[in-house]
């Protein structure tokens, strides 16, 4: 039934676009208001179909499945003495449960590589998985580089990203390691950068961009890594250190940093973006990682191009 509602919604939005194309310009405000109300009806209908709080047996079964996978993981780990598990499953949609079950095998595969010492904290929510614990600094994981690459690419294919953070301690033999598996990407949202003034269009990225902003001061502390800069003309440049002009134009540009294992990536965009509802699939097309493809007109009233960040990073 949810698919039927989505289909009817998209057809309704298409009809509004046709009316605008045939009608007078003065109709635009009314059409935009109708479009907003259509979107709200669609959002609420999706929520009512997908929220599992009313289906306690289904949710209980899904939680048990997650628990069994994690129990299997902890029993195979001979070094960790204790695992503290936090579960935040309130308002989890069926789509989120499906994605969580899909990404857990690859996530646990990476977690097994690190020999956590002592208590290991695992938090699972509708945003993804967060693992934190102590590891020995004298253990090399270079030999697992290929396995981590494969797992990271599998997660990227599922619109999920794996990043990490190291915190040094006074004792140089150990350090804190935090692993984030972020599945908070939302197909109905996008992080939009407005190029209307120069190019007559908006450029959209995954809504995850809003969570990975760094300041010029933080950027200056980053080690050598791949930096992809997108210019106002949508041209791409690649660097391996933060360009000097970025620190001089802090009011204009924005930098996102993704601390992928073995392959950190930063992206510099020429303007500050904003998370907004993404146009429906009948009104635009993905450009994937091909920034040179022609613009696609959003029939509701503006030009919009969506860049598939996950494909772009997977190919870099």
């Amino acid at each position: 039934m949810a698919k039927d509602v989505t289909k009817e919604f998209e057809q309704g939005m298409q009809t509004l676009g046709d009316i605008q194309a045939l009608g007078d310009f003065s109709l635009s405000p009314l059409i935009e208001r109708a479009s907003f109300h259509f979107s709200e009806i669609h959002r609420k209908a999706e929520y009512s179909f997908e929220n599992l709080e009313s289906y306690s047996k289904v949710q209980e079964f899904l939680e048990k499945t997650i628990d069994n996978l994690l129990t299997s993981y902890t029993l195979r780990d001979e070094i960790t003495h204790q695992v503290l598990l936090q579960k935040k499953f309130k308002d989890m949609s069926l789509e989120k449960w499906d994605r969580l079950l899909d990404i857990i095998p690859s996530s646990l595969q990476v977690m097994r590589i690190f020999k956590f010492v002592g208590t290991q904290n695992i938090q699972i929510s509708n945003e993804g998985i967060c693992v934190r614990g102590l590891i020995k600094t004298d253990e090399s994981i270079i030999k697992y580089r290929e396995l981590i690459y494969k797992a990271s690419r599998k997660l990227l294919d599922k619109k999920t990203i794996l990043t990490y953070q190291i915190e040094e301690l006074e004792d140089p033999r150990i350090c804190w390691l935090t692993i984030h598996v972020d599945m908070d990407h939302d197909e109905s949202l996008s992080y939009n950068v407005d190029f209307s003034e120069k190019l007559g269009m908006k450029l959209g990225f995954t809504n995850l961009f809003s969570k990975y902003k760094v300041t010029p001061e933080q950027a200056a502390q980053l080690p050598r890594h791949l930096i992809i800069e997108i210019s106002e003309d949508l041209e791409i440049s690649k660097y391996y250190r933060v360009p000097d002009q970025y620190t001089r134009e802090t009011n204009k540009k924005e930098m996102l940093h993704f601390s992928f294992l073995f392959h950190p990536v930063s992206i510099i965009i020429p303007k500050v973006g904003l998370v907004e509802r993404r146009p429906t699939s009948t009104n635009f097309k993905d450009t994937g990682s091909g920034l040179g493809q022609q613009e696609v007109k959003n029939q509701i009233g503006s030009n919009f191009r969506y860049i598939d960040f996950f494909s772009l990073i997977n190919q870099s």
Side-chain angles (χ1 to χ4, degrees):
M1 188 179 292
K3 290 183 179 179
D4 292 336
V5 170
T6 298
K7 182 179 179 182
E8 294 295 331
F9 165 72
E10 293 185 349
Q11 288 178 347
M13 295 290 278
Q14 180 67 56
T15 301
L16 285 177
D18 294 340
I19 292 172
Q20 184 173 24
L22 295 172
D24 188 80
F25 181 75
S26 61
L27 290 174
S28 291
L30 290 174
I31 290 172
E32 287 178 3
R33 282 170 57 190
S35 172
F36 169 78
H37 290 303
F38 262 129
S39 297
E40 283 299 291
I41 291 170
H42 181 242
R43 179 182 65 80
K44 291 175 181 177
E46 279 189 325
Y47 178 83
S48 66
F49 286 131
E50 295 186 353
N51 190 279
L52 291 179
E53 287 185 340
S54 302
Y55 304 94
S56 58
K57 293 298 181 185
V58 176
Q59 181 162 341
E60 184 181 332
F61 172 77
L62 292 171
E63 284 195 47
K64 243 176 219 184
T65 303
I66 299 292
D67 288 344
N68 288 338
L69 288 169
L70 289 170
T71 299
S72 174
Y73 159 72
T74 55
L75 290 176
R76 290 181 59 178
D77 188 346
E78 298 175 356
I79 297 179
T80 298
H81 300 296
Q82 185 177 13
V83 172
L84 297 180
L85 177 62
Q86 289 180 283
K87 297 181 290 184
K88 299 181 179 180
F89 293 146
K90 187 178 180 181
D91 298 333
M92 281 275 283
S93 68
L94 188 58
E95 179 186 358
K96 286 284 190 178
W97 276 108
D98 183 61
R99 187 179 297 180
L100 179 59
L101 289 167
D102 204 20
I103 68 169
I104 275 191
S106 296
S107 303
L108 295 181
Q109 190 177 30
V110 172
M111 288 159 55
R112 286 192 184 102
I113 291 171
F114 299 95
K115 305 302 182 183
F116 288 95
V117 179
T119 301
Q120 183 180 352
N121 294 277
I122 301 177
Q123 184 180 99
I124 301 180
S125 69
N126 58 3
E127 294 184 6
I129 305 169
C130 179
V131 183
R132 179 176 169 82
L134 292 168
I135 61 169
K136 294 180 179 179
T137 56
D138 60 353
E139 289 191 19
S140 174
I141 62 167
I142 299 297
K143 60 184 176 180
Y144 299 109
R145 180 191 294 263
E146 185 177 351
L147 188 153
I148 291 175
Y149 270 145
K150 287 181 179 178
S152 297
R153 291 188 184 280
K154 283 181 181 178
L155 291 169
L156 285 168
D157 286 340
K158 302 176 193 305
K159 309 291 186 185
T160 300
I161 60 176
L162 184 150
T163 57
Y164 80 105
Q165 182 181 358
I166 292 286
E167 296 174 49
E168 296 181 352
L169 297 173
E170 291 185 6
D171 187 342
R173 296 171 298 175
I174 56 174
C175 63
W176 284 108
L177 169 68
T178 304
I179 299 175
H180 293 279
V181 183
D182 191 343
M183 64 172 203
D184 206 25
H185 169 77
D186 190 332
E187 288 291 330
S188 68
L189 301 173
S190 60
Y191 185 81
N192 294 339
V193 184
D194 193 350
F195 290 88
S196 299
E197 189 174 322
K198 187 168 184 179
L199 301 177
M201 60 174 285
K202 282 186 177 181
L203 191 66
F205 300 90
T206 170
N207 60 291
L208 294 183
F209 268 31
S210 63
K211 300 167 63 175
Y212 293 88
K213 301 176 185 179
V214 293
T215 65
E217 292 76 21
Q218 291 172 323
Q221 301 301 315
L222 295 172
R224 178 181 171 85
H225 68 287
L226 174 63
I227 299 170
I228 301 172
E229 182 174 17
I230 301 174
S231 74
E232 292 188 6
D233 297 318
L234 304 188
E235 294 182 353
I236 286 186
S237 302
K238 292 185 178 181
Y239 313 96
Y240 287 92
R241 68 175 184 84
V242 179
D244 294 335
Q245 63 265 28
Y246 170 67
T247 57
R248 293 197 301 265
E249 300 174 12
T250 55
N251 292 328
K252 295 182 180 180
K253 298 186 179 182
E254 191 160 65
M255 182 169 171
L256 303 310
H257 180 66
F258 302 88
S259 55
F260 302 125
L261 285 162
F262 297 121
H263 186 46
V265 175
S266 291
I267 297 177
I268 298 176
I269 53 180
K271 288 186 175 184
V272 174
L274 179 67
V275 175
E276 300 175 322
R277 288 199 68 80
R278 185 170 158 185
T280 60
S281 58
T282 57
N283 297 320
F284 74 93
K285 295 180 180 177
D286 280 358
T287 62
S289 57
L291 296 178
Q293 297 183 31
Q294 70 176 35
E295 297 173 11
V296 180
K297 188 174 183 182
N298 174 1
Q299 299 173 19
I300 296 302
S302 64
N303 289 335
F304 181 86
R305 180 188 292 174
Y306 183 79
I307 305 301
D308 187 344
F309 162 77
F310 303 98
S311 294
L312 180 66
I313 295 301
N314 229 342
Q315 296 171 20
S316 64

